[in-house]
Structure formats: structure tokens, C-alpha cells
Amino acid sequence: MHQLTIAEIIRGLRSKEFSSTELTHHLLSRIQQLDSSYNSFISVTEELALNQAKAADKCLATGEAPALCGVPIAHKDIICTNGVRTSCASKMLDNFIPPYDATVVENLNSVGTVTLGKTNMDEFAMGSSNESSYYGPVKNPWNTGYVPGGSSGGSAAAVAALLVPGATATDTGGSIRQPAALTNTTGLKPTYGRVSRWGIVAYASSLDQAGPIARNAEDVAYLLSAMASHDPKDSTSLDRPQTDYTAKLNDSITDLKIGVPREYFGEGLNAGTAARVQDALKEFEKLGAELVDVSLPHTELAIPAYYVIAPAEASANLSRFDGVRYGYRCEEPSDLRDLYMRSRGEGFGEEVQRRILVGTYALSAGYYDAYYNKAQQVRRLIKQDFVQAFEKVDVIMGPTTPSPAFKLGAKNSDPVAMYLEDIYTIATNLAGLPGMSLPCGLVDNMPVGLQITGNYLDEARMLNIAHQYQQVTDWHKASAV
Ligand code: GLN
């Protein structure tokens, strides 16, 4: 049963091949037996899951069940769940139990999903390897000596290890696409504003977007259809009609124009990764698409701009964790200043502290113009690169990451090497565009991801393109376990 995709689960539940309760029991016992090897879950919500499954089975029996009724999923532990600890993989929030659901959780609950638990992640979503979690690193199911990518490494690993068919995740600079690439899963970061950020712990508010990770584009389409909504509680939420992203999966892509940015195939790209991505592009040509050479000249400025803007926003967002209102509080503070300093010093891990320091510096008087304003100007140039490219092409394709997964610990002592991991993914967030990653082959038996960047609000087309590729290739079916 754990091999079933979401589409197959929907059919199986409706034709009464199995019940949601049976499926939920099966997956919970797999998590219990196997997850000690991956550490992909921070919390397993057994009681909640079985209650939701029971309710789903009742609803399915009426013949009028909502779209995802009885489908088990997991939520990244940055997404607030009513009555269920939401730790953000930080000691700071180890004891935080939200009294409400995030809008995405509410949306998914309302179509009948079953929550198996909360997935591990980099602390406050800061990282690319899932090694900065307070609860220990997540291991890549393809080889447990390797990282699964981050920051949504737990969601990606849980899907890759067949512990859950789909999971929510968030992406500020690549955190859905990069772990999807490294674990052979399919993940999509929507257009900024497509999915509500309400109830999701903020990292860098102008970049954060939630999206799904699953085993193929069709399943991602099912999850996105439920997750995306206009939400008056998020002031940046886009007022667009509810969309069924599965509706156009089978459209033809023969007139597709694919932009191939030359800057994405230069220095630093692993030869095996480049070869697999080129194979995928050839496959698209066979499907009738045309490849068009495009240029995104400001690509190399994306990382420096991001590592000013993201820490700047993070330093402001994380100032709320002060040991006073909620979260970790140090023992026996001598005065208020000591309370602030030790609560934050003891509650936040090293990478989070590094980001707060960098961000506070960049925003401080005298440096604001030199760093923050400059980075915002570069952000505009990066966005314009894409606007120009999309005048000529429908989508842009290239590698999701410069290389396949690396060994645990390999980049821990060198933050800049870690930051370079996101070289192809970050510009998408700076521009607010939708991006996805899908499996396109293996190098030394480790997965490679193909990245598709779409124009604003073009998620349905991107999923159609990915689905068509997955009809003629089997890479997404290759399994880690
Ligand atoms: N790796 C990037 C960072 O550490 C992106 C993380 C993310 O998308 N949440 O900030």
C-alpha cells in the first residue's frame, strides 16, 4: 500500500479496495519501524491521524467525499497545527503548541486529508542540507550517509522513503525544489502569493511560499489544488479563483518553447548532473518542444542579494522570539537583558544566530543603503532578466542543483559552500516566480532534479509539462527503498 501514489489512493479508497484507516495504520507502522534510519519526522500524530481516518471512512461511505478524503499526508514542522507541537526544528519552539491551524492546513483538512505527523527541517528553514535541525539531521533514503537537502528535507525524505505519499513544505530560496531534486521526488514552489502564508512561521516574508512535495506531478497537482487559496488573513495573498490543477495535465505540449539559460550550464555544474538535464531536454524535444537559448545575466548576483535580503527579513521576523511571550526561556535570568540574551543565545542554533547577526548588520544605520537597498536593486534586475526571457519562451529549464546529494557533514564548516547549493533556485524566489523540480535521472545511483521555472501564475502549465514528461519517462518511479 505504501507504494501507491495519491491518485491511486483516491481511486482505491473510492472503490473500497482499502479503507483510510487501514492505509493510515499501515503507514504509521512503517514510520515507527523505519524512520529511525531517516529521522524525517519530528512528531508522529498517531491519535489525530486515526481519528481523521475514521471520519474520512465515514465520509467516503456516503459517496460524497471531498477530493482528498482519507489521503494521508505530513506537514513540515514550520506550519502551525492546532494542538500539535510546531517546533520549526528549533529548541526555541520545542514547547510551542499552536492554538490554530495555518490556512494551508485548514484547506487540506477541509478536503479530508489525514495528518500523519510533522516533518523535520533545517532550523527555521535556514539551510540546504537539513543538518541544522535541533532534532538531528535527516538522512537521504537513497543513501543514509548523504544529506536529503533542505530545508524541507524531512518532507522530501518521508516521501522518498515511502512513509507518506505527499507532504507540505516551504521554499524561501529553494527549500522545496532542492530537497525534491536530491531525493527523486517532485516538488513545486508556487508563485509568490498563490498559497497563504498565514500560520506559517515566517523566515523571509517577501520570499516564503508553501507548496507540495510528492512522487509525481499529478500528485503535486492534487495537493496544490487544495493548498492554494485567496486568504484575506495574508495581505500578500493573491485574489485568484480556486483552480483544479489536475484539469490540464493531459494537454499537448507540442507548441512549447523552453528557454535554456546559458548561465545555468557553466562552471560549478557537475558533469553527470549536466548530462541528465541535457537528456531531459532532448526528451522534451521529442515531445515536440523547441529549445531556445536564453540569458539570465544577473544569475551570479542572486546568492549575494538573497543572503542580504533573507537574513535582513529573518532578523526582523525572529525578534519576536524573546523568551517573554512564548518559546524557550532561560533558567533564572538576573534581569530583563539577561533574559533576552540568554533565551535567544541558548534557544537559537548556530546558523540561525549567524543569519540574525548578518541581517541586523545589513539593516543597521549607515549600512542599510550599502547592503539592503543595493540588494533590493539587484533583485529588480534579476526579476527583469526573467521578464525578458519570458517574452521569448513559455518556461525555463535547467538543473535544480549543481550536483547530486553530498555526504553528511561535507559542507558544515563552510557556510558559503552550503549557500552555493541554491545557485539555480534562489532567483526564482527573488522574482516571485513559480518553480518546480522533478526527477530526471541518476548519477552514481543518486537522483538528479530538472528545474522548471514558469511565468507568474503558470503553475497549471508547469504541472502539465512535468506530467507529460512523466508519461514518457520512469525516473520518478525509481525508488530509494
Ligand atoms: N538554503 C536557503 C537558505 O538557507 C533556502 C532555504 C529555504 O528555502 N527555506 O536560506
Side-chain angles (χ1 to χ4, degrees):
M1 264 194 291
H2 50 272
Q3 276 151 348
L4 299 174
T5 63
I6 290 176
E8 289 164 347
I9 290 170
I10 293 172
R11 285 194 287 275
L13 287 171
R14 274 153 220 258
S15 61
K16 312 261 179 306
E17 277 164 56
F18 48 83
S19 68
S20 177
T21 303
E22 283 164 343
L23 177 61
T24 301
H25 268 301
H26 175 71
L27 293 177
L28 286 170
S29 73
R30 263 182 82 76
I31 294 170
Q32 204 166 38
Q33 280 165 26
L34 302 171
D35 200 43
S36 52
S37 312
Y38 312 122
N39 199 25
S40 68
F41 279 85
I42 290 176
S43 308
V44 179
T45 51
E46 189 168 331
E47 200 185 316
L48 171 67
L50 291 169
N51 285 336
Q52 287 177 326
K54 202 166 141 191
D57 283 329
K58 263 198 197 146
C59 195
L60 284 158
T62 67
E64 279 172 29
L68 297 180
C69 192
V71 175
I73 58 166
H75 293 296
K76 184 176 180 180
D77 212 22
I78 195 170
I79 301 181
C80 285
T81 38
N82 189 0
V84 176
R85 176 176 62 169
T86 299
S87 72
C88 244
S90 180
K91 181 176 177 183
M92 185 57 91
L93 290 177
D94 181 48
N95 62 4
F96 175 55
I97 300 179
Y100 55 84
D101 280 322
T103 298
V104 280
V105 174
E106 220 171 68
N107 287 351
L108 283 160
N109 283 344
S110 75
V111 294
T113 55
V114 170
T115 304
L116 297 184
K118 304 294 296 285
T119 56
N120 204 346
M121 51 181 281
D122 278 302
E123 186 181 0
F124 283 101
M126 296 171 186
S128 308
S129 65
N130 221 127
E131 293 168 291
S132 74
S133 168
Y134 175 59
Y135 304 94
V138 178
K139 321 273 173 60
N140 192 323
W142 285 81
N143 182 334
T144 52
Y146 285 67
V147 305
S151 66
S152 313
S155 291
V159 172
L162 310 183
L163 303 179
V164 65
T168 58
T170 60
D171 188 314
T172 302
S175 282
I176 291 176
R177 293 158 286 157
Q178 188 253 7
L182 271 39
T183 58
N184 210 54
T185 52
T186 302
L188 186 143
K189 177 204 97 73
T191 305
Y192 183 76
R194 179 69 100 175
V195 169
S196 170
R197 290 181 295 110
W198 194 81
I200 300 177
V201 179
Y203 164 15
S205 310
S206 76
L207 302 160
D208 297 343
Q209 260 300 283
I213 295 180
R215 250 167 251 144
N216 60 38
E218 184 180 23
D219 286 4
V220 166
Y222 272 113
L223 292 172
L224 184 64
S225 302
M227 287 174 78
S229 67
H230 174 235
D231 184 5
K233 288 188 287 202
D234 170 0
S235 62
T236 59
S237 168
L238 296 170
D239 190 359
R240 287 296 185 284
Q242 205 71 27
T243 306
D244 175 2
Y245 293 96
T246 63
K248 297 198 161 147
L249 291 176
N250 292 313
D251 283 7
S252 152
I253 60 165
T254 48
D255 57 350
L256 185 69
K257 282 202 173 72
I258 300 172
V260 184
R262 50 194 102 112
E263 292 81 4
Y264 285 22
F265 291 85
E267 208 190 326
L269 178 61
N270 170 285
T273 300
R276 295 295 83 77
V277 171
Q278 295 293 356
D279 292 345
L281 294 174
K282 281 189 203 119
E283 205 63 57
F284 277 104
E285 277 187 308
K286 279 197 233 156
L287 286 168
E290 182 193 339
L291 303 182
V292 181
D293 174 52
V294 295
S295 175
L296 301 171
H298 297 95
T299 295
E300 63 173 19
L301 297 179
I303 289 196
Y306 174 89
Y307 278 100
V308 172
I309 294 168
E313 293 185 17
S315 72
N317 277 326
L318 271 57
S319 66
R320 69 186 59 145
F321 304 109
D322 56 6
V324 176
R325 284 162 290 190
Y326 53 89
Y328 177 77
R329 178 179 295 177
C330 68
E331 302 275 344
E332 296 177 25
S334 57
D335 57 20
L336 186 61
R337 193 180 163 81
D338 186 45
L339 168 84
Y340 287 150
M341 293 200 17
R342 280 204 290 122
S343 297
R344 288 167 66 79
E346 293 163 17
F348 288 135
E350 199 180 294
E351 185 60 28
V352 175
Q353 294 194 28
R354 177 159 34 236
R355 307 279 177 113
I356 292 173
L357 289 172
V358 168
T360 307
Y361 179 82
L363 290 178
S364 54
Y367 296 106
Y368 187 95
D369 283 333
Y371 296 109
Y372 186 73
N373 266 350
K374 195 50 114 209
Q376 292 290 20
Q377 287 162 349
V378 170
R379 182 177 190 172
R380 170 58 66 96
L381 295 174
I382 288 167
K383 182 183 162 179
Q384 276 166 359
D385 283 356
F386 283 107
V387 170
Q388 273 162 16
F390 283 123
E391 282 166 11
K392 290 200 286 182
V393 298
D394 303 307
V395 290
I396 289 168
M397 290 192 194
T400 308
T401 61
S403 60
F406 46 93
K407 287 201 174 109
L408 285 155
K411 300 190 182 181
N412 267 348
S413 55
D414 185 353
V416 176
M418 189 73 91
Y419 299 166
L420 285 171
E421 187 59 21
D422 301 313
I423 183 130
Y424 305 125
T425 50
I426 270 176
T428 314
N429 301 72
L430 289 169
L433 291 163
M436 72 182 292
S437 180
L438 58 155
C440 72
L442 302 174
V443 171
D444 298 331
N445 206 40
M446 293 304 278
V448 175
L450 171 76
Q451 180 171 233
I452 305 180
T453 306
N455 209 339
Y456 295 103
L457 299 168
D458 224 5
E459 290 87 350
R461 181 75 165 148
M462 294 159 69
L463 287 161
N464 163 225
I465 293 163
H467 181 69
Q468 289 307 306
Y469 175 77
Q470 292 181 338
Q471 298 308 294
V472 295
T473 57
D474 280 333
W475 296 116
H476 60 289
K477 291 185 185 153
S479 175
V481 292

